[in-house]
Amino acid sequence: MRKERVVVGLDVGTTKVVALVGNVANGLIEIIGMGKAESHGLEKGVVVDIGRTISSIRKAVEEAENMADVKIDSVYVGIAGKHINSINNSGTVSINRPDRIITEDDIHRVVETAQAIQLPPASEMIHVIPRQYIVDGQDGITDPVGMTGTRLEVDVHIVTGAITAVHNLVRCVESLDIGIEQIVLEPIASSLAVLSSAEKELGVILLDIGGGTTDISVFRGGDIWFSKVIPIAGEHITNDITVGLQTPIEEAELIKKQAGTALVESVGEDEKIEVATIGGDEKKTVSKKKLAKIIEPRVEELLDLAMQEVEDAGYRDLVPAGLVLTGGTSLLDGIVEFAHQRYGIPVRRGKIPQGIHGLRDIVESPIYATSIGLLRYAIETKDFSKRRYDRKKGSLINKLFAWFNRFFRG
Ligand SMILES: Nc1ncnc2c1ncn2[C@@H]1O[C@H](COP(=O)(O)OP(=O)(O)OP(=O)(O)O)[C@@H](O)[C@H]1O
Ligand SMILES: [Mg+2]
């Protein structure tokens, strides 16, 4: 009934797996089902235990299926990890036919030439995203089909990932008899969920600070220019608290959320909290300032590393819309203020934009930004002409699956 309008996003994160079912009508997404499971098979955004990852995915998918009352047979799945790299490149072809009208075929040709790059060792392309086309020197064109010209150029953003990391994720999903519509870089998915088009136009940095990874992306002129994943996030803060306060990891996680802050200066000297001790029943009293002094340096390190990546890539001064934070760790008290003070640029928590409704709690929490972004990715095909390209010729990633199936399944 509803089924043909349903899209599913699968976010396989370091702390949780989320399957989100969206019902799409007139470009609007209504969330009709959600399943969530704890994740134990990933480290720093990458699958390290296939069995445990499969059982988390199974649980999340079954829950989502029950809630939405649909059978999930294919998903858009997110990928992250420090094996991810991005490169910008361009390609040129000439239009030699007498009518000089640019066709779909010319688009395929020019995107293909732009893909001729030296890949990092043992890696594959995940995305080839055309940013703009240039026809006879005129730039800023998003869809040149039907235009007249003699020279067609394209600027692309290419995202690559390690073959093994991609394979392992694919194996987990496919072993549950679920097909993959597309693998989507998590920073790209999150950006579709929380950035406004005005911010993307002006220039903005998005940080998705999760449990195991911080995903960085930079947008300018409406398009993605830079993406990178660094392996430090919320779990590191929790670990620091475990060590610093000599407390069990579950307790550290709890007090981080309840009493933790990234701003030492915001805490009074006499504010105290009760903390469980390791192996004992007793609680001990700790000052909130001590907790903040554990958290703040880790947040500083994490944000500095991310900002350094942006600086090294040359975009530090090209982002007037500043910094947008999402992912679970963006909920940490004081993190927005801390970042604003440290870098002197506008900083805000990401909000889910118009066009998404249903299950309000989910839609509004930064923990689900990636899953929601995967649904948006699924419907916003026109922004990613690569997908058109995919369907016609089969992307490298599809070829990779075919190769994988041949070798591993006989
Ligand atoms: N209120 C809060 N204050 C501080 N940290 C929080 C809060 N709520 C959640 N977190 C942290 O957010 C992290 C989980 O975020 P998220 O769900 O975005 O991660 P993930 O998608 O599973 O992981 P990743 O994207 O890194 O693979 C955990 O480290 C958790 O402690
Ligand atoms: Mg995540």
Side-chain angles (χ1 to χ4, degrees), residues 11 13 16 186 208 210 370:
D11 174 13
K16 49 89 182 60
E186 286 173 19
D208 178 339
T370 303

Side-chain angles (χ1 to χ4, degrees), residues 11-16 45 186 208-213 215 233-235 238 253 256-257 327-329 331-333 366-367:
D11 174 13
V12 186
T14 308
T15 67
K16 49 89 182 60
E186 286 173 19
D208 178 339
I209 317 176
T213 64
D215 305 348
E235 285 187 340
T238 304
E253 176 73 16
K256 174 180 80 173
K257 292 180 187 166
T329 302
L331 292 169
L332 179 69
D333 180 79
I367 289 175

Side-chain angles (χ1 to χ4, degrees), residues 361-400:
D361 292 353
I362 293 169
V363 171
E364 277 167 9
S365 168
I367 289 175
Y368 303 103
T370 303
S371 337
I372 287 180
L374 288 169
L375 297 184
R376 286 195 82 104
Y377 186 94
I379 66 165
E380 286 182 20
T381 53
K382 66 176 183 306
D383 287 354
F384 295 87
S385 349
K386 170 68 171 40
R387 285 175 45 74
R388 248 188 334 198
Y389 177 71
D390 275 350
R391 257 181 265 135
K392 237 181 176 163
K393 285 199 166 174
S395 68
L396 282 165
I397 212 89
N398 290 338
K399 285 178 196 154
L400 177 72

Side-chain angles (χ1 to χ4, degrees), residues 211-289:
T213 64
T214 294
D215 305 348
I216 311 164
S217 45
V218 175
F219 287 77
R220 291 184 64 224
D223 293 306
I224 186 159
W225 279 81
F226 177 67
S227 43
K228 178 98 189 175
V229 178
I230 55 174
I232 301 189
E235 285 187 340
H236 298 78
I237 303 174
T238 304
N239 287 340
D240 291 347
I241 298 170
T242 305
V243 175
L245 298 185
Q246 293 288 301
T247 189
I249 196 138
E250 301 76 27
E251 177 81 347
E253 176 73 16
L254 202 69
I255 59 170
K256 174 180 80 173
K257 292 180 187 166
Q258 289 176 351
T261 175
L263 265 189
V264 173
E265 63 173 48
S266 70
V267 186
E269 292 295 343
D270 47 2
E271 292 185 61
K272 304 280 187 234
I273 48 167
E274 295 282 295
V275 180
T277 51
I278 293 176
D281 292 337
E282 305 113 74
K283 293 241 171 186
K284 59 182 173 189
T285 306
V286 175
S287 81
K288 244 179 111 173
K289 210 163 194 100

